Amino acid sequence: MNNKYELIYEGKAKKVFTHDDLDKVIIEFKDDATAFNALKKAKFEGKGKLNCLISARIFELLMKNNIPTHFLELKNQNTMIAKKIKVIPLEIVLRNYAYGSLCKQTTFKPGTLLAKPLIDIYLKDDALNDPLITKDRIELMNIISSENLNLILDLTLKINEILKKFFQNIHLKLVDFKLEFGYDFKKNILLADEISPDNCRLWDLNQKNDIIVSLDKDRFRNDLGGLIEAYSEIHRRINNFI
Ligand code: TMP
């Protein structure tokens, strides 16, 4: 990155830099992958570029459907310009099917279709290992007003409807995904972070039997191999469709 821009924040998968305009930031997607709160780490050449391009496409799709997001434009293949936001320290997970931590913490069998979308909220705090949190705890910790929390939950359900249909069209099952939101300068709530195979579970529907073929970060989490091939396939299907 051109050194006239200052690094504001470095996360596990992205770096955020200043922009000439004070209300914008430059987000660089890294090739690093982490799992289990960074207990497991690796680098996959080309992952940053794929996640950046996939996220840009998904943000554009959501904005066309009246979802407010921080995305402004691609700067290059692994860098995007976004509105500067103040991050709300919550990770909103929506699950259509039971998998991952839900199956470890409940008696749901992996792959079960849930009777309705389930929203699990986690506190975004690495030191505490991003614990599952309740609405009452959120209120008592003064993280967000209940009105704004309801707005976020409502947006999450709408995003699910848009993404579910979109991924179905490209023969992918949207099992679950994680969202993050923030406030812009005017205190509007915007969808932030990224939407990519790093934070969505996507299963291939082009399979003859009912076997699960993950085209997402579970390839790394569960040592399945072929992560770049899977992300490239998602990118290819999105580009061929839009
Ligand atoms: P989980 O089953 O491990 O709780 O994950 C649910 C979804 O959230 C899955 O699509 C992966 C995503 N996720 C993240 O994006 N970041 C995280 O730190 C975790 C734990 C999950």
Side-chain angles (χ1 to χ4, degrees):
M1 176 68 56
N2 180 334
N3 57 13
K4 95 179 193 186
Y5 298 113
E6 204 181 306
L7 180 68
I8 305 172
Y9 170 81
E10 178 160 5
K12 287 179 280 220
K14 294 184 287 299
K15 288 181 183 174
V16 181
F17 295 89
T18 53
H19 185 276
D20 296 328
D21 298 339
L22 290 177
D23 59 348
K24 295 179 185 168
V25 289
I26 302 169
I27 303 176
E28 185 183 302
F29 286 65
K30 304 196 290 185
D31 284 342
D32 304 81
T34 65
F36 315 114
N37 200 13
L39 281 178
K40 186 169 172 177
K41 290 185 200 169
K43 236 185 170 74
F44 295 92
E45 205 185 319
K47 180 178 86 83
K49 178 183 119 183
L50 287 163
N51 278 352
C52 182
L53 296 174
I54 292 168
S55 286
R57 291 288 198 182
I58 303 282
F59 281 133
E60 282 166 357
L61 167 78
L62 292 173
M63 285 154 78
K64 261 190 227 151
N65 284 277
N66 298 318
I67 303 292
T69 86
H70 70 155
F71 177 73
L72 291 168
E73 59 179 327
L74 278 175
K75 182 172 157 69
N76 56 48
Q77 293 208 317
N78 67 338
T79 315
M80 61 171 63
I81 316 280
K83 289 183 191 160
K84 185 171 186 168
I85 53 135
K86 185 170 182 288
V87 177
I88 298 165
L90 296 174
E91 300 200 351
I92 314 291
V93 169
L94 186 143
R95 304 174 191 273
N96 292 308
Y97 294 83
Y99 209 65
S101 69
L102 181 63
C103 296
K104 294 189 184 134
Q105 295 166 0
T106 67
T107 53
F108 282 114
K109 295 275 168 295
T112 311
L113 172 66
L114 300 172
K116 61 174 190 175
L118 169 65
I119 297 185
D120 284 333
I121 310 175
Y122 298 83
L123 180 65
K124 186 175 162 65
D125 186 327
D126 282 343
L128 293 176
N129 226 338
D130 296 346
L132 192 59
I133 191 169
T134 63
K135 280 192 178 184
D136 284 346
R137 289 185 188 191
I138 292 171
E139 188 187 336
L140 288 170
M141 289 174 75
N142 280 321
I143 293 174
I144 187 172
S145 68
S146 61
E147 193 188 4
N148 277 340
L149 180 60
N150 285 336
L151 200 146
I152 283 178
L153 300 181
D154 206 47
L155 278 172
T156 302
L157 290 169
K158 282 193 188 129
I159 291 167
N160 182 45
E161 289 310 311
I162 298 163
L163 294 186
K164 224 169 36 176
K165 255 187 238 144
F166 174 72
F167 284 123
Q168 173 77 35
N169 279 328
I170 54 172
H171 304 282
L172 293 166
K173 184 189 270 192
L174 179 61
V175 174
D176 57 28
F177 58 88
K178 185 263 296 180
L179 302 178
E180 294 183 21
F181 293 85
Y183 302 105
D184 67 10
F185 277 132
K186 293 179 190 154
K187 293 272 173 219
N188 296 310
I189 287 183
L190 306 179
L191 175 65
D193 195 45
E194 66 181 283
I195 315 250
S196 73
D198 264 16
N199 57 5
C200 298
R201 283 201 173 97
L202 296 166
W203 292 353
D204 192 9
L205 288 171
N206 290 343
Q207 298 293 327
K208 288 209 180 70
N209 310 317
D210 259 359
I211 54 162
I212 294 172
V213 173
S214 299
L215 297 178
D216 55 54
K217 202 164 88 175
D218 275 349
R219 303 217 68 87
F220 168 63
R221 293 188 190 99
N222 304 333
D223 299 314
L224 301 171
L227 179 134
I228 290 296
E229 290 78 359
Y231 285 35
S232 301
E233 177 62 13
I234 304 279
H235 181 235
R236 190 189 66 77
R237 288 193 202 178
I238 291 175
N239 265 2
N240 284 351
F241 187 75
I242 292 185

